[in-house]
């Protein structure tokens, strides 16, 4: 089946499978969101079905993760019912050399940050195109905002030097609505983000902001998929 996939899709599948291979029986697993993470969830389900993996439970970061976990037979639990997450597997939209991330392309970054930060080990699965020297240079920074606070939050972001825009739905009239029922403001910083740790705290201190897509000091391991000469490969840093 995998031989029928194009090299890029096959690469994502290999990265997802490599991350899933690190999960041990008896683990509580954070299940991330996105195309590469979907392959990891599929691989976990296949390991369960074959008997290679036993007694795991998943904690989802989004409705997408819930649907996939159910499709592939992964039992789900919640943060209310567990006292730990052993390992989380999730994607990213940008990764810098210090393993800091921008996430939120799927508007699930609030739940993702809760689950990923709570995990003893957080594995990030990305393709090489997500690697950047400086965050904010190729991807806008998502900020989840309570709807009534949209205008004052956007003004506060402009005062910080950002250029905010409300994320609009695709094939849907109106803005994107998060799983929490909020809006997402995507912010451009022309020169990128010089101090991700400081900006993460500053944005979250603006009244009306629920969470932003900067993940600083959270990732344990980055697994990078690449396609060279038409052949997919996986490396770690």
């Amino acid at each position: 089946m995998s031989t029928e996939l194009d090299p890029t899709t096959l690469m994502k599948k290999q990265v997802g499978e490599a991350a899933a291979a690190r999960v041990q029986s008896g683990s509580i697993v954070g299940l991330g969101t996105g195309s590469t993470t979907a392959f990891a969830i599929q691989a976990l389900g296949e390991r369960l079905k074959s008997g290679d993996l036993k007694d795991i439970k998943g904690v989802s970061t989004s409705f997408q993760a819930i649907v996939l976990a159910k499709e592939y037979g992964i039992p789900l639990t919640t943060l209310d019912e567990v006292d730990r997450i052993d390992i989380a597997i999730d994607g990213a939209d940008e990764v810098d050399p210090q393993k800091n991330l921008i996430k939120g392309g799927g508007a699930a970054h609030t739940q993702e940050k809760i689950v990923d930060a709570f995990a003893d080990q957080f594995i990030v699965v990305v393709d090489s195109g997500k690697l950047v020297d400086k965050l904010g240079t190729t991807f806008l920074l998502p900020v989840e905002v309570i709807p009534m606070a949209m205008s004052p939050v956007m003004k506060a972001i402009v005062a910080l030097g950002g250029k905010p825009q409300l994320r609009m739905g695709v094939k849907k009239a109106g803005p994107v609505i998060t799983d929490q029922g909020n809006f997402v403001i995507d912010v451009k910083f022309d020169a990128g983000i010089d101090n991700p740790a400081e900006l993460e705290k500053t944005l979250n201190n603006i009244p009306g902001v629920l969470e932003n897509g900067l993940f600083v000091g959270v990732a344990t391991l980055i697994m990078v998929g690449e396609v060279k000469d038409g052949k997919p490969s996986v490396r770690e840093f």
Side-chain angles (χ1 to χ4, degrees), residues 159-197:
L160 292 173
K163 297 178 179 178
Q165 60 187 50
L166 179 64
R167 185 183 299 182
M168 303 304 289
V170 178
K171 296 184 179 180
K172 170 193 175 296
V176 167
I177 306 297
T178 70
D179 289 354
Q180 290 73 241
N182 298 315
F183 293 160
V184 174
I185 294 173
D186 290 314
V187 186
K188 179 177 177 58
F189 292 93
D190 286 337
I193 297 169
D194 293 318
N195 190 329

Side-chain angles (χ1 to χ4, degrees), residues 65-84:
I66 291 173
V67 170
L68 287 171
K70 290 180 177 178
E71 180 180 349
Y72 294 114
I74 301 172
L76 290 172
T77 185
T78 67
L79 290 174
D80 288 333
E81 298 171 326
V82 298
D83 59 2
R84 73 187 196 283

Side-chain angles (χ1 to χ4, degrees), residues 4 51 53 86 112 147:
E4 300 173 7
L53 191 64
D86 298 294
E112 289 172 338

Side-chain angles (χ1 to χ4, degrees), residues 68-148:
L68 287 171
K70 290 180 177 178
E71 180 180 349
Y72 294 114
I74 301 172
L76 290 172
T77 185
T78 67
L79 290 174
D80 288 333
E81 298 171 326
V82 298
D83 59 2
R84 73 187 196 283
I85 294 177
D86 298 294
I87 184 171
I89 301 171
D90 209 346
D93 298 298
E94 282 188 342
V95 182
D96 75 7
Q98 289 73 46
K99 296 191 292 189
N100 297 319
L101 320 172
I102 284 182
K103 291 174 52 56
H109 54 282
T110 296
Q111 291 189 43
E112 289 172 338
K113 190 178 286 192
I114 293 167
V115 172
D116 297 343
F118 192 39
D120 292 336
Q121 184 180 182
F122 171 29
I123 297 178
V124 181
V125 289
V126 293
D127 62 76
S128 59
K130 305 296 176 64
L131 304 182
V132 296
D133 292 329
K134 187 179 185 181
L135 293 182
T137 52
T138 65
F139 199 84
L140 302 180
L141 175 63
V143 180
E144 182 166 351
V145 179
I146 296 171
M148 68 169 288

